[in-house]
Amino acid sequence: MECEACEAGKLAEQFETDALSGFVLARASAGLADGTIRGDVGHLDQIRSWFGRPLWDMEPADADAYFGKVLRGSPNGTRLARSQALSTYFMFL
């Protein structure tokens, strides 16, 4: 049973990586600059690190906590860029 849980975890991790790769490819196909895509992925990675789970598990209350509490003292541009990256990622999914 323990091996099945390990395998399921690996599959979920691979799917998350594939989803992010698809996001990057879609953004590149849309003609966005590499720096813009890198910035989006960096923002998503920072949100993911805080959240500790795949981003598709994020609920509105989680986003409220992140943007309202964690980033409260951050510059407006940082909050805007992260929220736009997250919103675009959810539209992609």
Side-chain angles (χ1 to χ4, degrees), residues 17-93:
T17 299
D18 289 347
L20 188 58
S21 295
F23 175 75
V24 168
L25 289 173
R27 303 284 280 162
S29 295
L32 273 77
D34 289 348
T36 301
I37 298 167
R38 262 193 309 278
D40 287 345
V41 171
H43 289 303
L44 293 173
D45 185 51
Q46 289 178 339
I47 298 167
R48 170 63 171 85
S49 293
W50 169 81
F51 190 53
R53 298 191 314 269
L55 292 175
W56 57 72
D57 286 342
M58 187 175 264
E59 297 288 334
D62 300 317
D64 286 347
Y66 183 71
F67 290 104
K69 294 178 184 171
V70 175
L71 294 184
R72 185 175 194 89
S74 297
N76 289 342
T78 300
R79 288 194 312 267
L80 177 62
R82 289 215 186 134
S83 65
Q84 287 178 331
L86 186 63
S87 177
T88 302
Y89 183 67
F90 277 119
M91 285 190 285
F92 167 77
L93 292 177

